[in-house]
PDB file of all heavy atoms in Angstrom:
ATOM      1  N   PRO A 367      29.741  14.785  35.940  1.00  0.00           N
ATOM      2  CA  PRO A 367      28.507  14.098  35.522  1.00  0.00           C
ATOM      3  C   PRO A 367      28.127  12.979  36.478  1.00  0.00           C
ATOM      4  O   PRO A 367      28.959  12.440  37.201  1.00  0.00           O
ATOM      5  CB  PRO A 367      28.879  13.523  34.147  1.00  0.00           C
ATOM      6  CG  PRO A 367      30.344  13.251  34.266  1.00  0.00           C
ATOM      7  CD  PRO A 367      30.891  14.371  35.123  1.00  0.00           C
ATOM      8  N   SER A 368      26.840  12.659  36.468  1.00  0.00           N
ATOM      9  CA  SER A 368      26.343  11.466  37.152  1.00  0.00           C
ATOM     10  C   SER A 368      25.978  10.448  36.085  1.00  0.00           C
ATOM     11  O   SER A 368      25.051  10.673  35.308  1.00  0.00           O
ATOM     12  CB  SER A 368      25.117  11.809  38.002  1.00  0.00           C
ATOM     13  OG  SER A 368      24.438  10.621  38.388  1.00  0.00           O
ATOM     14  N   VAL A 369      26.710   9.352  36.032  1.00  0.00           N
ATOM     15  CA  VAL A 369      26.449   8.295  35.052  1.00  0.00           C
ATOM     16  C   VAL A 369      26.263   6.989  35.816  1.00  0.00           C
ATOM     17  O   VAL A 369      27.210   6.448  36.381  1.00  0.00           O
ATOM     18  CB  VAL A 369      27.593   8.161  34.026  1.00  0.00           C
ATOM     19  CG1 VAL A 369      27.295   7.032  33.045  1.00  0.00           C
ATOM     20  CG2 VAL A 369      27.793   9.478  33.282  1.00  0.00           C
ATOM     21  N   VAL A 370      25.033   6.514  35.863  1.00  0.00           N
ATOM     22  CA  VAL A 370      24.691   5.282  36.572  1.00  0.00           C
ATOM     23  C   VAL A 370      24.330   4.237  35.523  1.00  0.00           C
ATOM     24  O   VAL A 370      23.404   4.433  34.727  1.00  0.00           O
ATOM     25  CB  VAL A 370      23.520   5.491  37.546  1.00  0.00           C
ATOM     26  CG1 VAL A 370      23.124   4.170  38.200  1.00  0.00           C
ATOM     27  CG2 VAL A 370      23.877   6.543  38.597  1.00  0.00           C
ATOM     28  N   ILE A 371      25.056   3.124  35.510  1.00  0.00           N
ATOM     29  CA  ILE A 371      24.823   2.037  34.562  1.00  0.00           C
ATOM     30  C   ILE A 371      24.654   0.764  35.372  1.00  0.00           C
ATOM     31  O   ILE A 371      25.563   0.362  36.099  1.00  0.00           O
ATOM     32  CB  ILE A 371      25.990   1.902  33.568  1.00  0.00           C
ATOM     33  CG1 ILE A 371      26.160   3.211  32.781  1.00  0.00           C
ATOM     34  CG2 ILE A 371      25.754   0.746  32.602  1.00  0.00           C
ATOM     35  CD1 ILE A 371      27.375   3.222  31.870  1.00  0.00           C
ATOM     36  N   GLU A 372      23.495   0.150  35.265  1.00  0.00           N
ATOM     37  CA  GLU A 372      23.204  -0.986  36.132  1.00  0.00           C
ATOM     38  C   GLU A 372      22.387  -2.041  35.385  1.00  0.00           C
ATOM     39  O   GLU A 372      21.785  -1.770  34.354  1.00  0.00           O
ATOM     40  CB  GLU A 372      22.438  -0.529  37.365  1.00  0.00           C
ATOM     41  CG  GLU A 372      21.089   0.105  37.062  1.00  0.00           C
ATOM     42  CD  GLU A 372      20.312   0.460  38.328  1.00  0.00           C
ATOM     43  OE1 GLU A 372      20.408  -0.298  39.313  1.00  0.00           O
ATOM     44  OE2 GLU A 372      19.621   1.492  38.330  1.00  0.00           O
ATOM     45  N   GLU A 373      22.378  -3.226  35.954  1.00  0.00           N
ATOM     46  CA  GLU A 373      21.553  -4.315  35.441  1.00  0.00           C
ATOM     47  C   GLU A 373      20.405  -4.526  36.418  1.00  0.00           C
ATOM     48  O   GLU A 373      20.617  -4.701  37.623  1.00  0.00           O
ATOM     49  CB  GLU A 373      22.382  -5.594  35.304  1.00  0.00           C
ATOM     50  CG  GLU A 373      21.625  -6.729  34.657  1.00  0.00           C
ATOM     51  CD  GLU A 373      22.551  -7.849  34.209  1.00  0.00           C
ATOM     52  OE1 GLU A 373      23.704  -7.888  34.668  1.00  0.00           O
ATOM     53  OE2 GLU A 373      22.118  -8.688  33.386  1.00  0.00           O
ATOM     54  N   TRP A 374      19.175  -4.484  35.896  1.00  0.00           N
ATOM     55  CA  TRP A 374      18.010  -4.679  36.751  1.00  0.00           C
ATOM     56  C   TRP A 374      16.948  -5.457  35.969  1.00  0.00           C
ATOM     57  O   TRP A 374      16.078  -4.873  35.321  1.00  0.00           O
ATOM     58  CB  TRP A 374      17.446  -3.333  37.231  1.00  0.00           C
ATOM     59  CG  TRP A 374      16.409  -3.486  38.298  1.00  0.00           C
ATOM     60  CD1 TRP A 374      15.059  -3.335  38.171  1.00  0.00           C
ATOM     61  CD2 TRP A 374      16.626  -3.864  39.661  1.00  0.00           C
ATOM     62  NE1 TRP A 374      14.431  -3.593  39.362  1.00  0.00           N
ATOM     63  CE2 TRP A 374      15.373  -3.916  40.305  1.00  0.00           C
ATOM     64  CE3 TRP A 374      17.779  -4.163  40.399  1.00  0.00           C
ATOM     65  CZ2 TRP A 374      15.242  -4.244  41.658  1.00  0.00           C
ATOM     66  CZ3 TRP A 374      17.639  -4.495  41.734  1.00  0.00           C
ATOM     67  CH2 TRP A 374      16.382  -4.527  42.352  1.00  0.00           C
ATOM     68  N   PRO A 375      17.020  -6.801  36.005  1.00  0.00           N
ATOM     69  CA  PRO A 375      16.067  -7.623  35.244  1.00  0.00           C
ATOM     70  C   PRO A 375      14.766  -7.910  35.987  1.00  0.00           C
ATOM     71  O   PRO A 375      13.915  -8.638  35.479  1.00  0.00           O
ATOM     72  CB  PRO A 375      16.856  -8.917  35.019  1.00  0.00           C
ATOM     73  CG  PRO A 375      17.721  -9.025  36.248  1.00  0.00           C
ATOM     74  CD  PRO A 375      18.086  -7.611  36.631  1.00  0.00           C
ATOM     75  N   HIS A 376      14.602  -7.334  37.162  1.00  0.00           N
ATOM     76  CA  HIS A 376      13.468  -7.668  38.023  1.00  0.00           C
ATOM     77  C   HIS A 376      12.226  -6.846  37.665  1.00  0.00           C
ATOM     78  O   HIS A 376      12.316  -5.812  37.005  1.00  0.00           O
ATOM     79  CB  HIS A 376      13.863  -7.451  39.478  1.00  0.00           C
ATOM     80  CG  HIS A 376      15.175  -8.072  39.846  1.00  0.00           C
ATOM     81  ND1 HIS A 376      15.358  -9.438  39.857  1.00  0.00           N
ATOM     82  CD2 HIS A 376      16.378  -7.520  40.170  1.00  0.00           C
ATOM     83  CE1 HIS A 376      16.612  -9.701  40.196  1.00  0.00           C
ATOM     84  NE2 HIS A 376      17.248  -8.558  40.382  1.00  0.00           N
ATOM     85  N   PRO A 377      11.054  -7.281  38.124  1.00  0.00           N
ATOM     86  CA  PRO A 377       9.830  -6.536  37.831  1.00  0.00           C
ATOM     87  C   PRO A 377       9.876  -5.117  38.399  1.00  0.00           C
ATOM     88  O   PRO A 377      10.444  -4.874  39.468  1.00  0.00           O
ATOM     89  CB  PRO A 377       8.735  -7.366  38.522  1.00  0.00           C
ATOM     90  CG  PRO A 377       9.308  -8.744  38.633  1.00  0.00           C
ATOM     91  CD  PRO A 377      10.776  -8.556  38.839  1.00  0.00           C
ATOM     92  N   VAL A 378       9.278  -4.188  37.671  1.00  0.00           N
ATOM     93  CA  VAL A 378       9.164  -2.802  38.107  1.00  0.00           C
ATOM     94  C   VAL A 378       7.701  -2.390  38.006  1.00  0.00           C
ATOM     95  O   VAL A 378       6.882  -3.096  37.419  1.00  0.00           O
ATOM     96  CB  VAL A 378      10.041  -1.860  37.260  1.00  0.00           C
ATOM     97  CG1 VAL A 378      11.506  -2.239  37.375  1.00  0.00           C
ATOM     98  CG2 VAL A 378       9.594  -1.878  35.789  1.00  0.00           C
ATOM     99  N   GLU A 379       7.386  -1.238  38.576  1.00  0.00           N
ATOM    100  CA  GLU A 379       6.017  -0.736  38.529  1.00  0.00           C
ATOM    101  C   GLU A 379       5.945   0.441  37.561  1.00  0.00           C
ATOM    102  O   GLU A 379       6.463   1.518  37.833  1.00  0.00           O
ATOM    103  CB  GLU A 379       5.556  -0.287  39.918  1.00  0.00           C
ATOM    104  CG  GLU A 379       4.108   0.206  39.934  1.00  0.00           C
ATOM    105  CD  GLU A 379       3.727   0.851  41.252  1.00  0.00           C
ATOM    106  OE1 GLU A 379       4.478   1.735  41.717  1.00  0.00           O
ATOM    107  OE2 GLU A 379       2.691   0.474  41.814  1.00  0.00           O
ATOM    108  N   GLN A 380       5.318   0.216  36.402  1.00  0.00           N
ATOM    109  CA  GLN A 380       5.113   1.289  35.446  1.00  0.00           C
ATOM    110  C   GLN A 380       3.829   2.050  35.783  1.00  0.00           C
ATOM    111  O   GLN A 380       2.902   1.452  36.344  1.00  0.00           O
ATOM    112  CB  GLN A 380       5.027   0.715  34.025  1.00  0.00           C
ATOM    113  CG  GLN A 380       6.363   0.260  33.462  1.00  0.00           C
ATOM    114  CD  GLN A 380       7.137   1.413  32.823  1.00  0.00           C
ATOM    115  OE1 GLN A 380       7.062   2.569  33.275  1.00  0.00           O
ATOM    116  NE2 GLN A 380       7.864   1.098  31.775  1.00  0.00           N
ATOM    117  N   PRO A 381       3.742   3.359  35.446  1.00  0.00           N
ATOM    118  CA  PRO A 381       4.768   4.155  34.774  1.00  0.00           C
ATOM    119  C   PRO A 381       5.885   4.575  35.731  1.00  0.00           C
ATOM    120  O   PRO A 381       5.656   4.762  36.932  1.00  0.00           O
ATOM    121  CB  PRO A 381       3.987   5.371  34.271  1.00  0.00           C
ATOM    122  CG  PRO A 381       2.854   5.509  35.234  1.00  0.00           C
ATOM    123  CD  PRO A 381       2.480   4.120  35.647  1.00  0.00           C
ATOM    124  N   LEU A 382       7.079   4.749  35.162  1.00  0.00           N
ATOM    125  CA  LEU A 382       8.264   5.054  35.944  1.00  0.00           C
ATOM    126  C   LEU A 382       8.770   6.476  35.730  1.00  0.00           C
ATOM    127  O   LEU A 382       9.840   6.828  36.225  1.00  0.00           O
ATOM    128  CB  LEU A 382       9.391   4.072  35.590  1.00  0.00           C
ATOM    129  CG  LEU A 382       9.370   2.715  36.297  1.00  0.00           C
ATOM    130  CD1 LEU A 382      10.367   1.776  35.638  1.00  0.00           C
ATOM    131  CD2 LEU A 382       9.683   2.860  37.769  1.00  0.00           C
ATOM    132  N   GLY A 383       8.033   7.285  34.983  1.00  0.00           N
ATOM    133  CA  GLY A 383       8.525   8.627  34.679  1.00  0.00           C
ATOM    134  C   GLY A 383       8.864   9.427  35.923  1.00  0.00           C
ATOM    135  O   GLY A 383       9.914  10.081  35.984  1.00  0.00           O
ATOM    136  N   ALA A 384       8.000   9.384  36.927  1.00  0.00           N
ATOM    137  CA  ALA A 384       8.270  10.121  38.164  1.00  0.00           C
ATOM    138  C   ALA A 384       9.489   9.556  38.879  1.00  0.00           C
ATOM    139  O   ALA A 384      10.290  10.304  39.458  1.00  0.00           O
ATOM    140  CB  ALA A 384       7.052  10.070  39.075  1.00  0.00           C
ATOM    141  N   ALA A 385       9.678   8.230  38.834  1.00  0.00           N
ATOM    142  CA  ALA A 385      10.838   7.605  39.469  1.00  0.00           C
ATOM    143  C   ALA A 385      12.121   8.006  38.752  1.00  0.00           C
ATOM    144  O   ALA A 385      13.175   8.179  39.385  1.00  0.00           O
ATOM    145  CB  ALA A 385      10.680   6.086  39.471  1.00  0.00           C
ATOM    146  N   VAL A 386      12.058   8.151  37.429  1.00  0.00           N
ATOM    147  CA  VAL A 386      13.223   8.599  36.669  1.00  0.00           C
ATOM    148  C   VAL A 386      13.599  10.019  37.078  1.00  0.00           C
ATOM    149  O   VAL A 386      14.774  10.333  37.309  1.00  0.00           O
ATOM    150  CB  VAL A 386      12.945   8.521  35.156  1.00  0.00           C
ATOM    151  CG1 VAL A 386      14.064   9.183  34.361  1.00  0.00           C
ATOM    152  CG2 VAL A 386      12.780   7.065  34.723  1.00  0.00           C
ATOM    153  N   GLN A 387      12.611  10.871  37.169  1.00  0.00           N
ATOM    154  CA  GLN A 387      12.865  12.253  37.574  1.00  0.00           C
ATOM    155  C   GLN A 387      13.450  12.295  38.987  1.00  0.00           C
ATOM    156  O   GLN A 387      14.403  13.045  39.262  1.00  0.00           O
ATOM    157  CB  GLN A 387      11.560  13.047  37.506  1.00  0.00           C
ATOM    158  CG  GLN A 387      11.740  14.543  37.622  1.00  0.00           C
ATOM    159  CD  GLN A 387      10.436  15.274  37.363  1.00  0.00           C
ATOM    160  OE1 GLN A 387       9.355  14.680  37.339  1.00  0.00           O
ATOM    161  NE2 GLN A 387      10.519  16.577  37.157  1.00  0.00           N
ATOM    162  N   ASP A 388      12.902  11.479  39.890  1.00  0.00           N
ATOM    163  CA  ASP A 388      13.420  11.425  41.269  1.00  0.00           C
ATOM    164  C   ASP A 388      14.863  10.932  41.302  1.00  0.00           C
ATOM    165  O   ASP A 388      15.668  11.394  42.122  1.00  0.00           O
ATOM    166  CB  ASP A 388      12.542  10.516  42.132  1.00  0.00           C
ATOM    167  CG  ASP A 388      11.176  11.110  42.420  1.00  0.00           C
ATOM    168  OD1 ASP A 388      10.996  12.323  42.217  1.00  0.00           O
ATOM    169  OD2 ASP A 388      10.277  10.342  42.830  1.00  0.00           O
ATOM    170  N   HIS A 389      15.199   9.979  40.423  1.00  0.00           N
ATOM    171  CA  HIS A 389      16.567   9.467  40.375  1.00  0.00           C
ATOM    172  C   HIS A 389      17.559  10.595  40.130  1.00  0.00           C
ATOM    173  O   HIS A 389      18.574  10.716  40.828  1.00  0.00           O
ATOM    174  CB  HIS A 389      16.696   8.413  39.267  1.00  0.00           C
ATOM    175  CG  HIS A 389      18.115   8.084  38.904  1.00  0.00           C
ATOM    176  ND1 HIS A 389      18.855   7.117  39.538  1.00  0.00           N
ATOM    177  CD2 HIS A 389      18.945   8.621  37.962  1.00  0.00           C
ATOM    178  CE1 HIS A 389      20.070   7.066  39.031  1.00  0.00           C
ATOM    179  NE2 HIS A 389      20.152   7.965  38.065  1.00  0.00           N
ATOM    180  N   PHE A 390      17.258  11.433  39.130  1.00  0.00           N
ATOM    181  CA  PHE A 390      18.200  12.507  38.812  1.00  0.00           C
ATOM    182  C   PHE A 390      18.210  13.578  39.893  1.00  0.00           C
ATOM    183  O   PHE A 390      19.257  14.186  40.161  1.00  0.00           O
ATOM    184  CB  PHE A 390      17.868  13.095  37.441  1.00  0.00           C
ATOM    185  CG  PHE A 390      18.265  12.190  36.297  1.00  0.00           C
ATOM    186  CD1 PHE A 390      17.333  11.360  35.695  1.00  0.00           C
ATOM    187  CD2 PHE A 390      19.576  12.147  35.856  1.00  0.00           C
ATOM    188  CE1 PHE A 390      17.699  10.514  34.666  1.00  0.00           C
ATOM    189  CE2 PHE A 390      19.953  11.306  34.824  1.00  0.00           C
ATOM    190  CZ  PHE A 390      19.025  10.478  34.222  1.00  0.00           C
ATOM    191  N   ALA A 391      17.072  13.816  40.544  1.00  0.00           N
ATOM    192  CA  ALA A 391      17.048  14.763  41.658  1.00  0.00           C
ATOM    193  C   ALA A 391      17.936  14.271  42.799  1.00  0.00           C
ATOM    194  O   ALA A 391      18.651  15.062  43.444  1.00  0.00           O
ATOM    195  CB  ALA A 391      15.616  14.959  42.144  1.00  0.00           C
ATOM    196  N   ARG A 392      17.922  12.961  43.056  1.00  0.00           N
ATOM    197  CA  ARG A 392      18.782  12.404  44.109  1.00  0.00           C
ATOM    198  C   ARG A 392      20.258  12.545  43.732  1.00  0.00           C
ATOM    199  O   ARG A 392      21.102  12.800  44.599  1.00  0.00           O
ATOM    200  CB  ARG A 392      18.423  10.941  44.371  1.00  0.00           C
ATOM    201  CG  ARG A 392      17.049  10.744  44.984  1.00  0.00           C
ATOM    202  CD  ARG A 392      16.874   9.332  45.517  1.00  0.00           C
ATOM    203  NE  ARG A 392      16.950   8.317  44.481  1.00  0.00           N
ATOM    204  CZ  ARG A 392      15.899   7.847  43.818  1.00  0.00           C
ATOM    205  NH1 ARG A 392      14.690   8.323  44.082  1.00  0.00           N
ATOM    206  NH2 ARG A 392      16.043   6.915  42.904  1.00  0.00           N
ATOM    207  N   GLN A 393      20.582  12.342  42.455  1.00  0.00           N
ATOM    208  CA  GLN A 393      21.971  12.513  42.028  1.00  0.00           C
ATOM    209  C   GLN A 393      22.421  13.956  42.237  1.00  0.00           C
ATOM    210  O   GLN A 393      23.565  14.204  42.660  1.00  0.00           O
ATOM    211  CB  GLN A 393      22.117  12.116  40.554  1.00  0.00           C
ATOM    212  CG  GLN A 393      21.809  10.659  40.251  1.00  0.00           C
ATOM    213  CD  GLN A 393      22.648   9.700  41.065  1.00  0.00           C
ATOM    214  OE1 GLN A 393      23.864   9.863  41.188  1.00  0.00           O
ATOM    215  NE2 GLN A 393      22.011   8.692  41.634  1.00  0.00           N
ATOM    216  N   ASP A 394      21.548  14.920  41.940  1.00  0.00           N
ATOM    217  CA  ASP A 394      21.877  16.327  42.184  1.00  0.00           C
ATOM    218  C   ASP A 394      22.159  16.554  43.662  1.00  0.00           C
ATOM    219  O   ASP A 394      23.117  17.256  44.034  1.00  0.00           O
ATOM    220  CB  ASP A 394      20.727  17.229  41.739  1.00  0.00           C
ATOM    221  CG  ASP A 394      20.585  17.302  40.222  1.00  0.00           C
ATOM    222  OD1 ASP A 394      21.553  16.960  39.517  1.00  0.00           O
ATOM    223  OD2 ASP A 394      19.505  17.708  39.752  1.00  0.00           O
ATOM    224  N   TYR A 395      21.323  15.984  44.510  1.00  0.00           N
ATOM    225  CA  TYR A 395      21.499  16.149  45.955  1.00  0.00           C
ATOM    226  C   TYR A 395      22.839  15.576  46.413  1.00  0.00           C
ATOM    227  O   TYR A 395      23.598  16.236  47.138  1.00  0.00           O
ATOM    228  CB  TYR A 395      20.345  15.471  46.690  1.00  0.00           C
ATOM    229  CG  TYR A 395      20.507  15.425  48.190  1.00  0.00           C
ATOM    230  CD1 TYR A 395      20.125  16.497  48.978  1.00  0.00           C
ATOM    231  CD2 TYR A 395      21.073  14.308  48.811  1.00  0.00           C
ATOM    232  CE1 TYR A 395      20.290  16.471  50.357  1.00  0.00           C
ATOM    233  CE2 TYR A 395      21.251  14.268  50.178  1.00  0.00           C
ATOM    234  CZ  TYR A 395      20.857  15.351  50.952  1.00  0.00           C
ATOM    235  OH  TYR A 395      21.038  15.319  52.310  1.00  0.00           O
TER     236      TYR A 395
END
Side-chain angles (χ1 to χ4, degrees):
S368 165
V369 179
V370 176
I371 300 174
E372 61 176 324
E373 185 165 17
W374 190 254
H376 311 294
V378 299
E379 182 189 50
Q380 286 275 34
L382 277 169
V386 171
Q387 192 172 13
D388 290 344
H389 165 88
F390 286 98
R392 293 193 297 268
Q393 297 304 314
D394 289 341
Y395 173 85

